[in-house]
Amino acid sequence: MQSIQPALLFRYFVVAGLINTAVFAALLLSRRRQAAPSMLLLALMVLVSFQALLNAFDNRDFFLTFPHLSRVSWLNLTLVGPLVYLFTRKMTGDGPRFRWTDALHAVPFFTASVILAPWFLQTAEVKRRLLQDFDGLSRQDFGWVNQANLCLITFYLLASVVRLKQWERSLPASPHPVQTLRMQWLRRFLGALLLILGISALGFFGRKWNIPGITHFYHYNYAAIVALVYWLAWKCQTVPELFTEEEQTEEKKYRKSGLTAPAALYGKLCLLMHDQRPYLDPELTHASLAEMLGVQKHHLSQVINEQSGGTYFEFVNGYRVEEVKRMLADPDKQHLSILGIAMECGFQSKATFNAAFRKMTGTTPSAWQQSLQLEV
């Protein structure tokens, strides 16, 4: 049986990544409200998936068949840095909506469009004739335009790291669990991008100067990008709290809400949580809890904010943490793992659970369990 060539395997991997992005896009767009972070992340995933696809099929036959796709990758690169930076800003307190000033970060894209216009405006026949010398034309991929793109991406990634550090310093000593999750996730996200950028730079100059040993890094870079796309889609589905607007919504002033008797409504809410235990449902949302209570969503936010002093996430996760503590102390539940118990109590991910448990108790779940064993 003939083995599959690495180049063909890479193409399968890239195409599967593009399909994965398309499925994620469909799931995201099916939601009612689209916040800026979600839309920016989706745009970034589509962009890098398409860029990886162009790299995977980077050969003479492909571009002779689709001549108008040649040099599109040069233009794509001008959007990567701005998308990462805007996404980081929206995730770190810049608000869940777009502003007109965000459009200023499209200047590199339009500048590159003007520079590349003479190539893009040529007919398919002219491009095919020039693409006959594919190797010679490919050497231009490592010219000053893409060197400038590499510098542009580096600048925006470093600006994103600086933005994240500034946001971290502005957080209170005990930040909101969602803020903690975002901080940890963004560190990994930007760290992964910087690593990929390093591999990309090695591959770029390895190919440009034909340096033995690192010329193939150019393709490994895109394999890492596709792997990152898989990771992003997985995180979006398993830790949806990362991209919700709840904490911004709940921190707003409740002007002209029209809510009367908030204390009585809060008592009704606590009774509902005690009797029906809706927090055990990992799919419980702000809207569904408000519907169960028979009130509007913003009234539920106001009641929780004013009566408990916390947010919707803190309120619900508080009940979940208490249920975890009860089950950890139950001898009949000793055969379950801590994470298994957390999932039974309504948590959707280990990261969310650990952040909430530490915030509520001041210690880790394993340390809490060990303290229970010492008391016996």
Side-chain angles (χ1 to χ4, degrees):
M1 181 177 176
Q2 188 176 4
S3 60
I4 300 177
Q5 295 181 354
L8 188 58
L9 202 60
F10 176 58
R11 289 178 184 176
Y12 287 148
F13 182 57
V14 169
V15 171
L18 192 60
I19 294 172
N20 171 63
T21 300
V23 171
F24 168 72
L27 290 172
L28 180 63
L29 295 175
S30 66
R31 299 175 184 174
R32 283 186 180 179
R33 298 178 62 187
Q34 307 302 329
S38 298
M39 298 307 297
L40 287 166
L41 183 61
L42 174 59
L44 180 65
M45 290 174 65
V46 171
L47 181 70
V48 299
S49 296
F50 182 54
Q51 186 77 357
L53 189 71
L54 292 176
N55 177 265
F57 291 89
D58 186 9
N59 58 60
R60 182 173 175 272
D61 291 340
F62 177 80
F63 285 111
L64 285 176
T65 305
F66 305 102
H68 291 306
L69 289 180
S70 58
R71 298 195 180 178
V72 168
S73 61
W74 297 17
L75 199 58
N76 287 348
L77 291 174
T78 63
L79 293 172
V80 174
L83 283 174
V84 172
Y85 178 70
L86 287 174
F87 173 70
T88 303
R89 286 192 64 91
K90 299 304 177 184
M91 291 282 284
T92 55
D94 197 37
R97 295 287 176 261
F98 289 106
R99 302 175 182 177
W100 71 267
T101 52
D102 295 337
L104 294 175
H105 296 282
V107 169
F109 173 81
F110 289 111
T111 302
S113 298
V114 172
I115 294 170
L116 295 172
W119 173 267
F120 289 139
L121 293 176
Q122 292 184 93
T123 64
E125 290 73 20
V126 172
K127 289 179 181 177
R128 286 193 178 98
R129 187 169 64 251
L130 294 171
L131 285 165
Q132 292 295 332
D133 181 20
F134 185 74
D135 291 336
L137 206 61
S138 293
R139 284 192 288 272
Q140 296 181 21
D141 290 345
F142 304 94
W144 72 269
V145 173
N146 281 329
Q147 290 181 52
N149 281 334
L150 196 60
C151 292
L152 180 71
I153 295 173
T154 301
F155 169 78
Y156 269 109
L157 285 186
L158 292 177
S160 299
V161 172
V162 170
R163 169 68 184 185
L164 176 59
K165 294 296 182 183
Q166 291 173 340
W167 181 64
E168 288 178 2
R169 288 194 293 269
S170 71
L171 294 177
S174 298
H176 187 283
V178 173
Q179 292 175 328
T180 301
L181 278 176
R182 287 186 173 183
M183 179 172 59
Q184 295 171 347
W185 185 83
L186 280 170
R187 285 175 183 170
R188 297 189 186 100
F189 175 63
L190 294 178
L193 287 177
L194 286 170
L195 178 61
I196 291 173
L197 179 65
I199 297 173
S200 178
L202 284 173
F204 182 89
F205 290 106
R207 287 283 294 273
K208 178 178 174 62
W209 296 324
N210 197 26
I211 301 174
I214 64 173
T215 56
H216 297 297
F217 280 25
Y218 185 68
H219 292 293
Y220 298 155
N221 162 52
Y222 284 99
I225 286 175
V226 176
L228 180 65
V229 167
Y230 277 105
W231 180 69
L232 289 173
W234 177 70
K235 278 293 183 182
C236 289
Q237 296 304 313
T238 59
V239 193
E241 303 96 312
L242 281 170
F243 310 103
T244 55
E245 304 176 42
E246 301 292 352
E247 73 279 2
Q248 286 98 346
T249 302
E250 292 164 346
E251 288 170 2
K252 292 179 180 178
K253 300 286 184 180
Y254 297 103
R255 301 184 298 270
K256 302 178 182 179
S257 71
L259 179 64
T260 59
L265 184 58
Y266 184 68
K268 182 180 177 182
L269 171 63
C270 292
L271 188 63
L272 171 71
M273 298 294 283
H274 181 271
D275 292 346
Q276 298 186 29
R277 302 198 296 174
Y279 54 87
L280 296 180
D281 179 6
E283 301 298 326
L284 180 69
T285 64
H286 199 154
S288 61
L289 183 59
E291 186 177 352
M292 292 175 67
L293 195 62
V295 299
Q296 296 181 20
K297 181 180 173 181
H298 67 276
H299 283 165
L300 176 61
S301 293
Q302 181 178 354
V303 166
I304 293 175
N305 224 193
E306 293 178 349
Q307 300 298 314
S308 72
T311 64
Y312 166 78
F313 280 121
E314 290 172 327
F315 179 77
V316 174
N317 284 341
Y319 278 90
R320 288 170 175 162
V321 167
E322 288 302 317
E323 186 68 16
V324 168
K325 289 162 61 178
R326 185 190 67 77
M327 291 183 67
L328 287 175
D330 187 348
D332 295 334
K333 304 293 183 181
Q334 297 304 305
H335 63 287
L336 297 174
S337 66
I338 294 178
L339 184 58
I341 289 175
M343 297 297 123
E344 283 197 16
C345 294
F347 286 102
Q348 288 186 312
S349 70
K350 183 178 180 179
T352 307
F353 165 58
N354 285 336
F357 195 94
R358 181 181 284 276
K359 182 174 178 63
M360 303 294 175
T361 65
T363 187
T364 63
S366 56
W368 180 276
Q369 188 180 48
Q370 290 173 3
S371 67
L372 292 176
Q373 295 171 351
L374 292 174
E375 291 176 1
V376 176

